Amino acid sequence: SLHEISEKLERKSVTMTTASKFLLLQVLILAVNCLLSYGFLSNPSSTVLHHETSTQALTSTFSSTVATTTTRKSSAATTSTTQLKVGNLFGGIFAPQGNNNNGPTTVLDIPTTVLKTGPLKFYMQIFLVGEQNTPVPNAWVLNTNDENDSLDMYYTDGTGMFSIQFRDTYGIQVLRYGQAPSLQYRLQESVLLHSLLDEVTSIAFAEDIDVDKRLIQLKQEDVLEKARETLPARKEQNDDDATKE
C-alpha cells in the first residue's frame, strides 16, 4: 500500500538529498499508476488513485518526513551549539566532563586577625591588572567578583583559573578551579602567586604605617612564608639579573 511505501521511504538514508527524495516519490507514483492501469495489482476498484490525489498524499507524507528530519537535525545542532558554548566558557574550564564533582583546590591559606576587605581588594586589583600581560600579552584575564568579594584570574589556555577570596572573619584564601590545569598554567600560577605574596608582605609589614592602620594583620608572622612553601619554587635570580636591578 502507499502507506507501506511511505514508511520504507522514511527509513532511507538521511544522506539522500531533498531533490532526490522528491524525484523518487514521483517515480514511485508513476510506477504504481502503471501497475494499476494494467491490472497487475488486485482489486483495482478500491486501490486505484488518481495521479493528482496520490501525488498530494505522498507529497504530504514526504513533507512530514522532511519536517521531522529537519527538526531532529535542528535539535541536534542546537544541543551541539549549546554544549560548545558551555564547553568553551573561559576556554573550557567549566565544560561538562562526566560526573566529576570535585570542588576547588586551596592553593594559599592566609589567616589574619584584621582584614580590611574593601581597600585591600582595591589595592590587589590594581596589582593584578598590571600582571595580566605576564609573561606574554593577554596571558591572564582579571574578573572582579563583587558578589563573592573575590578577584578571579583566568589563564589564556582555558585549563584553569584562581580566585582570591577576601573574608573579614578569616583572612585570604586562593582557590584553584579547573579539572585538569595544564603544566603551563601551574607554572604561571606559581610565578604570579609568588609576586602576590610579595605584595601582601609589603602591605602587612609596611614600616611607615602604624600597625593598627594596616590593611592586613597576620595571625602569625611566618604565615606568609609557610604559604610560600606550598608553591613550587620560583626561579632564582642570577647574578646578571641582580646586577640589572
Side-chain angles (χ1 to χ4, degrees):
S1 67
L2 292 179
H3 181 67
E4 293 176 346
I5 294 174
S6 298
E7 288 182 345
K8 291 180 180 180
L9 287 174
E10 291 178 359
R11 291 193 294 267
K12 293 293 182 181
S13 173
V14 293
T15 58
M16 184 181 295
T17 65
T18 301
S20 299
K21 288 183 178 181
F22 190 80
L23 180 60
L24 180 59
L25 285 171
Q26 293 294 332
V27 172
L28 288 174
I29 290 171
L30 292 175
V32 170
N33 283 331
C34 288
L35 291 173
L36 291 172
S37 298
Y38 288 95
F40 288 102
L41 296 179
S42 60
N43 194 16
S45 60
S46 61
T47 58
V48 173
L49 294 177
H50 295 294
H51 180 73
E52 181 179 356
T53 304
S54 59
T55 300
Q56 182 178 0
L58 286 177
T59 300
S60 176
T61 303
F62 169 73
S63 300
S64 176
T65 303
V66 171
T68 302
T69 304
T70 302
T71 301
R72 290 174 181 174
K73 288 183 177 181
S74 176
S75 177
T78 301
T79 302
S80 177
T81 302
T82 301
Q83 291 178 346
L84 179 63
K85 290 180 179 179
V86 172
N88 283 342
L89 183 61
F90 297 116
I93 295 175
F94 304 106
Q97 300 180 10
N99 296 321
N100 192 336
N101 295 319
N102 293 336
T105 301
T106 300
V107 183
L108 292 179
D109 196 9
I110 307 173
T112 64
T113 55
V114 175
L115 181 66
K116 300 177 181 179
T117 298
L120 181 61
K121 180 182 176 182
F122 179 72
Y123 185 97
M124 299 310 298
Q125 181 178 347
I126 296 174
F127 164 73
L128 292 173
V129 166
E131 296 294 320
Q132 290 183 108
N133 295 321
T134 302
V136 295
N138 303 315
W140 296 93
V141 175
L142 171 64
N143 177 58
T144 302
N145 192 329
D146 294 327
E147 183 178 352
N148 296 326
D149 278 330
S150 67
L151 297 173
D152 305 333
M153 289 288 278
Y154 296 88
Y155 191 57
T156 184
D157 70 357
T159 63
M161 58 84 72
F162 67 84
S163 176
I164 306 174
Q165 310 277 331
F166 300 91
R167 302 178 183 177
D168 291 332
T169 58
Y170 179 78
I172 301 173
Q173 278 190 320
V174 177
L175 306 179
R176 178 193 298 137
Y177 291 84
Q179 300 201 7
S182 66
L183 176 61
Q184 182 68 16
Y185 167 82
R186 289 176 179 270
L187 291 174
Q188 296 307 322
E189 177 195 70
S190 176
V191 171
L192 184 49
L193 291 182
H194 273 295
S195 298
L196 178 72
L197 288 175
D198 291 340
E199 291 298 315
V200 175
T201 299
S202 65
I203 296 171
F205 299 103
E207 296 180 356
D208 57 339
I209 300 177
D210 294 337
V211 175
D212 59 343
K213 293 182 180 180
R214 293 174 184 173
L215 300 182
I216 181 174
Q217 296 179 36
L218 306 173
K219 276 191 174 182
Q220 299 175 346
E221 291 188 358
D222 63 344
V223 66
L224 294 178
E225 289 306 315
K226 290 181 178 180
R228 195 183 296 276
E229 290 173 359
T230 65
L231 300 174
R234 60 179 170 182
K235 182 179 179 181
E236 294 183 359
Q237 292 181 327
N238 56 36
D239 295 336
D240 294 335
D241 293 336
T243 302
K244 291 179 181 179
E245 292 186 358

